[in-house]
């Protein structure tokens, strides 16, 4: 219940994020690569600029078992106009363009 309340407060400041998060989180946990790709800004940078095919090929490294578990349990943190999820040494950053949320990048958590 506390988690739902936290999302409701975020929703007031960042419309659409809670619905996006539920869908993205579910897709990652289920290892639904196509759905995750649909909710990711492409080209995607992972050592190189990747188109959709490259993203799908890199997916097992971007979303390995530990990261999928982090997505199952983790809660994004608001950072200005963004939402970030920290999974070990990586930060998954989400943002909205014209009200539509996407995964923007994965970066080192420094």
């Amino acid at each position: 219940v506390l988690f739902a309340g936290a999302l409701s407060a975020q929703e007031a400041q960042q419309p659409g994020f809670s619905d996006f998060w539920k869908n993205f989180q579910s897709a990652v946990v289920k290892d639904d690569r196509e759905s995750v790709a649909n909710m990711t800004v492409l080209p995607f940078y992972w050592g190189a600029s990747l188109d959709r095919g490259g993203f799908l090929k890199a997916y097992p490294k971007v979303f390995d078992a530990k990261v999928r578990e982090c997505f199952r349990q983790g809660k994004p943190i608001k950072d200005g106009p963004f939402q970030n999820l920290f999974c070990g040494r990586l930060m998954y950053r989400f943002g909205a363009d014209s009200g539509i949320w996407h995964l923007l990048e994965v970066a080192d958590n420094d």
Side-chain angles (χ1 to χ4, degrees), residues 44-96:
F44 185 82
Y45 188 80
W46 183 261
S49 185
L50 305 175
D51 62 8
R52 184 181 183 86
F55 176 80
L56 291 171
K57 187 175 178 179
Y59 183 94
K61 293 180 182 175
V62 180
F63 296 97
D64 65 20
K66 287 182 182 179
V67 169
R68 289 193 310 274
E69 181 62 19
C70 174
F71 268 78
R72 189 178 73 76
Q73 296 183 10
K75 295 177 183 133
I77 298 168
K78 187 177 181 307
D79 179 19
F82 305 105
Q83 291 276 351
N84 300 323
L85 180 67
F86 297 94
C87 296
R89 66 174 189 81
L90 297 175
M91 175 191 72
Y92 291 74
R93 175 165 279 195
F94 305 92

Side-chain angles (χ1 to χ4, degrees), residues 2 12 14 18 20 22 24 26-27 29 32 47 50 54 62 90 93:
L2 180 60
Q14 295 184 308
S18 67
F20 164 80
K22 289 174 197 170
F24 195 90
S26 175
V29 169
D32 182 350
L50 305 175
V62 180
L90 297 175
R93 175 165 279 195

